[in-house]
Amino acid sequence: MKKGKRAEKKRYERPQIVRHHSGFMNKFGRGSFQTPLREIDGVPVKKLIAEYGSPLFVISESALLKKFREAKRAFGPRYPKTTFAWSYKTNYLRAVCSVLHREGAWAEVVSPLEYEMARRLGVPGDKILFNGPAKTAESLSQAARDGARVHADHFDELHLLEKAAASLGRKLPVGIRVNLDAGIYPAWDRFGFNLESGQALEAARRIDASRTLTLAGLHCHLGTYILDASAYRRATVKLLDFAALLEAESGNGLSWLDMGGGFASRNTLHASYLPGENLIPSLHDYAAAVTEPLLERYASQDAAPILFLESGRAIVDECATLLTSVLAAKRLASGKRALVVDAGVNALFTAFWYKHELALTEDSTSFMEDTAVYGPLCMAIDIVRESVMLPPLTPGQILAVRNVGAYNMSQWLQFIHARPAVVMISEAGKPELVRERETLESMTGPERLPERLKGAGENIGG
Amino acid sequence: MAERRAAARTVLDSVLGSYSGVYFSRSRAAGLFFMAATFTSPASGLAGLGSILVANGAAFLMGFDREAIRSGRYGLNALLVGLGLAYLSPPTFASAPQLALGAVLTVVVTTALQTVLEGVFYLPSLSLGFVFATLAVDLAALSLPGLSSPGSLAETAAAIGSWPLPHAVEGYLKALGAVFFRIDVRSGLLVAAGLAAASRISFVLSAVGYLTGAAFSASAGASPGDAGSALVAFNFILAAISLGGVYTVPSLASYLLAALAAVVAAVFAGAARVVMEPYGIPVLSIPFIAATYLFILGLRSRPVGLAPELVRVPAASPEENLALAQSRRLWRASGGLRLPFLGAWTVTQGTEGAHTHKERWRHALDFALTDEQGGEFQGDPSRLESYPAYGMPVVAPGAGIVARVVDGVADNPPGQMNMERNWGNYVSLRHIDGSHSLLAHLKPGSIKVKAGDVVVPGAALGRCGNSGRSPQPHIHYHLQREPEPGGETLPFAFARFVVEDGGVPRLSERRLPREGERAAHPEPSARRRAAFRPPIGSELSFATESVGRRWREKLVAEADLDGALFLRSTRDGSRLYYLDQEDIFTVTHLVARPRTILFAFFAAASRVPLVADNRLRWNSELPVRPFLGGLTRAAVDCILPFLPGWRVRAEQSFFVPPGRAGAEFFGVEARFTGTPPGRPRLGAARAVFHEEMGLMEASLIDAAGRTLLTARRQG
């Protein structure tokens, strides 16, 4: 025994029993080796958990910037008049939006609430794309005054828009959302005006006939997590043909074309056997599909419309990790191993869509066994991973759920457990808290308890 | 060394060609024989050879066609003149200046005659130049005895030196008045005052002309100062003015031309006097007209832009000629080549590069896409797709017709090069001046154009590939004479491109991007352009305030008969001429006083790139004259022809106008560096524009930050 220095106690690793199948290739028969994710952007995972608690969202500003710049570089040399608008619904944390705005991204909002968020961040009205099926009359008036680009979703909205623009004194340039058949499934037809049935043409003619609006742009958001880049090519061609038809009728050229988002990220869908990164088209594939028809149509960049893109997931998903601690290790009745971790579908809504990649954060044995990973909620639907190969883990060990940047920090549920804190590691490598962990005060703050019910807890009869 | 030998051979050719051309031959051997023949009398042989050398040298200096000089056309006539004059009066060393004059005169006469005879009548000029020049000099020698029997140089100097100054001034004033047949000093003074008020350059030229012409006449033996002389001397003045500033752009070269013209006018005057005075008729303005026609005809055959530059349609004054010529140069420089790609690419090999851009192929550029760290690939470097440049569009750098297309060469894997078909897949584009742009190493199957297609700048040609001598995907661009690649590369420059300089995009003009620089074409914004295109006939109302005074005025957008666009102020008639191009707005000419709204517009927005990126910065150079007013302008006018490079420099940028919401408003600011002329010294000028309505506000700020002028749009 050394004097003065306590030897570090080795972690107990319980023995595993693994059944071998004979006759087939035994996927349990080999050890697999995974490099543990010990640090994120140079900051040790253990230090982050110790300082900010668990579970914890960690966003990497460097990764975010790199990805955004990569997207700009994929499109810029193909079609210089490309502008990226950050899709707020993907992640509307002010820190994330601000990082992207600093890099030149506009704001794409789909509700009056998001519009207000963008304005509070200082985004000027004329750099906001206002989409969505539920815009109030007041928010449309505000948008008209601010000079935002509104993409109308339906005829009733057009009616509200006309009234909102009436007080401006000049014609308000607006866009319409168009849905069309791009050869993919599912083909969304609930948003915007349908192209093939002639509804979009009718909307355009209605706008031309109005005294207060002028049609300046077309918007088409094909879907989400689209794996076929050529769908964008088909959609762009259809929209450009439509624009040519409109120009022949009204004499107005197209000022902007918004091809929405929907680019896939590295996550693996539940139904997919192959991992996501093997399947998804690259940003360059999407860029080529969208810009080639545009370049063919517009030889001179002068008359070419601005190309807007509202990518969200493809930019932010891979830039965030969710650190979660193991609470318990169980064995189910079938003999399968299960882990209970402190972040479930309350924090990780995208667990409903993806088989998230889980990474270990420290060295372990190389023998993996099939494990189910459950969240902390007392609900049977709370499953992080149904089945994943993990080594035996003990309570207190940290798992990293990868590629969680999109939708989780906007769609998380306040249910049973407090929502986790969010930390962003700056470009310089310094972790900064950008959202505090939820507390009881922040949860129940909006509640108003009627006077007659106060103190009910103290006077339980019986 | 090879160049010197070539030059020597040219000189020899031109000399011998002059001799042999007399007998319609080009044979150098014949020329040698003829030269030997002239040297049987060494003095006249030297006179002849000297005349050839002077004539060819003068023709070379004046910028005449090199091929014509080499063929001996000028030397031939000069030779004959020299030999002829030597025959009529045996030459001595003292007659060298007269022989030189004869040679120079021959050059001008020959070119003038050639322009008329060959251009109009399709006749060869033969030795008509010799005839005219000899007649002129011979006749002139009768009234200017110094021409035929020249005294020594010392005598000439003494003759000029003994000419008392008051006499010279008196003679000058009398000559000025003599145009109106008022040969007295008082009229002359009034004329001088009027001339100085009209144009300082003309005033200076009148003095130059009189002094040169009169000094020459005096040295040639005419008597200065008598009435007959004044009626002759005004020709020197008019010749100098017309050829120094009215029909040419004023410059040092044009002033020298004016002096020469005065001398030629003096010779013609001498000749004309001999013919006409026996009948009692004065020479009138024949010498001036003859000299002017002679020089204008002669100068026409020179390339455009060479000083002294002929003016096709004279402007209101020589000062305006100068200003317009400067703006014409600016207009000519506005067109040019653009970068052959979209977005920002990095120069991976510049001109005189280390790898392949050397010697005959040194004027070439290689471009590739890099990330922030300068890396050219992401991911696996053994795959072409890892290189972001691969597959990116390549566009036409200028308007032209596709001359050659080669496709079908496969892409190399990264790291390998195809040395046989080293240009790979390429497109060769012929521009209007006959030069060819070459874009090489394109992707097989991606070339969308074929030979004969007409393309505009920015039209898609193909995609970046890795074919030919290309180890990793890049675009190779150069300019050459021939349509087939491999010829010598020509020097070129891009008209405009944007370089990121520490995060600030900066406009670079008329140069090439250097190795390592990341350059992009400034993408034009049609909306910004609309701000600078007021509909012709529209009126913009302004309320202007300057040093306590207020006034209203209207600016009217007009176009003149030549199609030049300008804004005219209804208050004082000042005019701002501008050029409306797709990607840049340029003010070409300003006729306005320094404390006016049009001057403020000019100072703030003399050149505005029509892009939407408000971060862009650029530099402008403005002509000096508009910054001055009144007497200072008059004084500076006298020296401006000699300082063509004197400019006011400004750093320019966009700004978001405070208090004007919406992106339709944008501001342009010019901050003057150095000390611009004029009082008080200007520090900055600002203009605010609306994308549809045009100019909204203009202001001038002095170096101390005080506002000197503000103009606001009304209505």
Side-chain angles (χ1 to χ4, degrees), chain B residues 314-383:
Chain B
S317 69
E319 283 83 352
E320 282 244 340
N321 268 342
L322 184 59
L324 280 171
Q326 284 180 349
S327 70
R328 259 202 305 276
R329 242 170 261 140
L330 201 65
W331 177 67
R332 267 200 295 268
S334 288
L337 297 167
R338 58 153 285 173
L339 292 169
F341 47 76
L342 307 170
W345 291 53
T346 308
V347 179
T348 48
Q349 194 188 163
T351 56
E352 326 241 3
H355 309 292
T356 49
H357 299 168
K358 292 176 190 300
E359 293 166 32
R360 297 180 71 213
W361 304 282
R362 61 184 185 279
H363 300 295
L365 288 174
D366 282 344
F367 298 99
L369 279 174
T370 59
D371 62 20
E372 276 73 30
Q373 286 76 37
E376 278 180 58
F377 59 85
Q378 280 142 30
D380 178 7
S382 66
R383 294 181 62 238

Side-chain angles (χ1 to χ4, degrees), chain A residues 69-70 73-81 126-127 146 149 170 255 284 291-292 295-296 299-303, chain B residues 342-343 345 369-372 378 388 390-393 448 458-459 463 523-527 529 582 662-664:
Chain A
R69 287 171 187 162
E70 208 184 294
R73 267 201 302 276
F75 280 84
R78 293 195 157 90
Y79 191 77
K81 273 180 156 181
D126 57 26
K127 291 200 161 62
D146 291 342
R149 283 164 218 248
R170 60 184 172 93
S255 260
H284 284 269
T291 58
E292 273 162 27
L295 265 188
E296 272 168 43
S300 148
Q301 280 288 303
D302 188 35
Chain B
L342 307 170
W345 291 53
L369 279 174
T370 59
D371 62 20
E372 276 73 30
Q378 280 142 30
Y390 186 68
M392 288 297 181
K448 298 243 181 328
R463 304 215 160 242
E523 294 303 330
S525 156
R527 295 177 59 154
R529 185 172 163 210
E582 182 187 304
E664 310 93 64

Side-chain angles (χ1 to χ4, degrees), chain A residues 177-188:
Chain A
R177 179 162 177 178
V178 173
N179 64 68
L180 44 77
D181 178 14
I184 52 165
Y185 180 81
W188 291 349

Side-chain angles (χ1 to χ4, degrees), chain A residues 126-144:
Chain A
D126 57 26
K127 291 200 161 62
I128 299 182
L129 302 180
F130 192 8
N131 300 333
K135 306 183 187 93
T136 59
E138 196 188 310
S139 66
L140 286 173
S141 299
Q142 177 77 38

